Amino acid sequence: MRNPDGDGPVGGDGLVVGVGVRATAAETELLELVRRTLAGAGLPADAVRALATLTGKGGHPAVRAAAAAFGVPVAEYPAEALAAVPVPNPSGTVGEAVGTVSVAEAAALAATGGGELLVPKRKTASATAAVARTPHHRNAGERP
């Protein structure tokens, strides 16, 4: 996992939730989206180690509120770094708006440093979320 400043690893195995928000995203909208995304995949909220997003979005009130609710840092990545991450669900609209075809999926994968995308992006009107697992994390009962 990468540090919140994008330089070097963040300690510990676990999950990273990549998030994208529009300026209009409400604090409750993103937080509920993240909770539903984790619950829908049967993933424990206490395994979340960080949120990850596009540079400049970490200060958005919805992102700050979600990070505070989970008690985790926010890692930010520039559009150029996110654009280099292969994702299953690219969006041309997002690409035109922010310079990368993915924020949530690409940020989650970038923050895990080679992890696995467990939950592809989920959307609301103003927010997206995706979940990736660090390379060495396993869920309870999962076979190696």
Side-chain angles (χ1 to χ4, degrees):
M1 201 173 317
R2 312 234 353 132
N3 271 327
D5 63 5
D7 295 328
V10 171
D13 290 339
L15 305 175
V16 175
V17 180
V19 297
V21 291
R22 292 183 180 181
T24 56
E27 292 179 20
T28 55
E29 180 180 9
L30 180 61
L31 181 57
E32 288 306 311
L33 173 61
V34 171
R35 286 181 174 152
R36 282 193 316 270
T37 299
L38 291 167
L43 298 170
D46 64 356
V48 175
R49 299 292 178 254
L51 298 186
T53 193
L54 178 68
T55 297
K57 294 293 186 172
H60 188 288
V63 176
R64 287 195 329 258
F70 287 96
V72 298
V74 177
E76 295 183 86
Y77 296 89
E80 300 80 33
L82 297 180
V85 177
V87 296
N89 300 295
S91 168
T93 303
V94 171
E96 291 176 19
V98 299
T100 176
V101 296
S102 174
V103 174
E105 290 176 341
L109 289 167
T112 63
E116 172 189 7
L117 188 66
L118 297 179
V119 183
K121 70 179 174 185
R122 302 288 187 255
K123 301 189 299 184
T124 62
S126 300
T128 58
V131 183
R133 173 175 56 192
T134 58
H136 303 294
H137 180 79
R138 299 202 184 282
N139 292 324
E142 185 177 337
R143 300 176 95 186

